[in-house]
Amino acid sequence: MAQVLTNADNPPPVPLDAEHAAVLKTLQAQSGPAFDRAYILGQITGHQELLQIQQGYLDNTNRSTDTQHIAVLARMSIQQHLVMLQEIQQMLG
């Protein structure tokens, strides 16, 4: 998505904000199954946040057709990832 939105082959990563830096620090302190569960939970939370952002963007009708189409594709991808993450979470227990 970043490549499409920035029109750059390798867009630089966005710096972490304080909330996401804290999540990373928590993950770095985990190992084994505890890491797996914490990682998947963090991914689910992040994807849920992204889904809300995309829906908010789509609810704003003052957008170009192209950006609306990109947002629809992004929403679909995020929803698919959430399903996969939730399945992994169930497998981890």
Side-chain angles (χ1 to χ4, degrees):
M1 284 296 161
Q3 187 176 7
V4 169
L5 294 173
T6 62
N7 201 27
D9 288 337
N10 292 306
V14 176
L16 294 176
D17 60 16
E19 178 184 347
H20 292 100
V23 170
L24 178 60
K25 187 173 183 173
T26 299
L27 285 172
Q28 290 171 331
Q30 302 288 330
S31 64
F35 172 86
D36 295 341
R37 286 188 297 275
Y39 179 82
I40 292 298
L41 181 59
Q43 289 295 307
I44 289 172
T45 301
H47 280 72
Q48 288 169 336
E49 291 170 2
L50 284 173
L51 190 56
Q52 288 178 346
I53 291 167
Q54 287 306 119
Q55 192 57 54
Y57 187 88
L58 287 165
D59 289 345
N60 181 344
T61 58
N62 191 23
R63 305 284 185 202
S64 74
T65 302
D66 288 342
T67 57
Q68 285 292 106
H69 290 162
I70 291 169
V72 167
L73 290 172
R75 180 181 60 188
M76 183 181 67
S77 179
I78 295 164
Q79 288 169 327
Q80 289 173 335
H81 287 181
L82 269 170
V83 168
M84 290 185 289
L85 288 163
Q86 289 163 345
E87 288 173 357
I88 293 169
Q89 186 180 44
Q90 288 178 351
M91 287 187 291
L92 293 174

